């Protein structure tokens, strides 16, 4: 295994970070908003699915 000193490691790390294509502020904001919208949509979907299944179980068991 090759042994690198800390200076070489930092130098290589900076070179790799320079290669990264960082998103713009607009891309970051749009992506963040979409994540929140999808999380809200998923939570509403699962709430409705849970309520429908609970009503179905109550009807099957006879508690409704």
């Amino acid at each position: 295994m090759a042994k690198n000193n800390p200076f070489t490691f930092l130098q290589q790390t900076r070179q790799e970070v320079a290669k990264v294509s960082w998103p713009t502020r607009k891309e970051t904001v749009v992506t963040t908003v979409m994540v929140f919208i999808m999380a809200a949509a998923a939570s509403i979907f699962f709430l409705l699915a849970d309520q429908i299944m609970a009503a179905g179980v109550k009807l099957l068991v006879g508690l409704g």
Side-chain angles (χ1 to χ4, degrees), residues 1 4 12 16 21-22 27 29 32-33 36 38 40 42 46 57:
M1 174 167 41
N4 292 334
Q12 290 173 352
E16 290 299 319
S21 173
W22 298 102
E27 290 172 333
V29 169
T32 302
V33 169
F36 281 114
M38 293 304 294
F46 286 115
V57 169

Side-chain angles (χ1 to χ4, degrees), residues 4-44:
N4 292 334
N5 63 28
F7 177 75
T8 306
F9 173 76
L10 291 175
Q11 187 178 22
Q12 290 173 352
T13 302
R14 291 187 78 170
Q15 289 172 353
E16 290 299 319
V17 168
K19 295 178 187 178
V20 173
S21 173
W22 298 102
T24 63
R25 180 175 293 275
K26 181 180 178 183
E27 290 172 333
T28 304
V29 169
V30 168
T31 304
T32 302
V33 169
M34 289 305 298
V35 167
F36 281 114
I37 289 170
M38 293 304 294
S43 66
I44 291 168

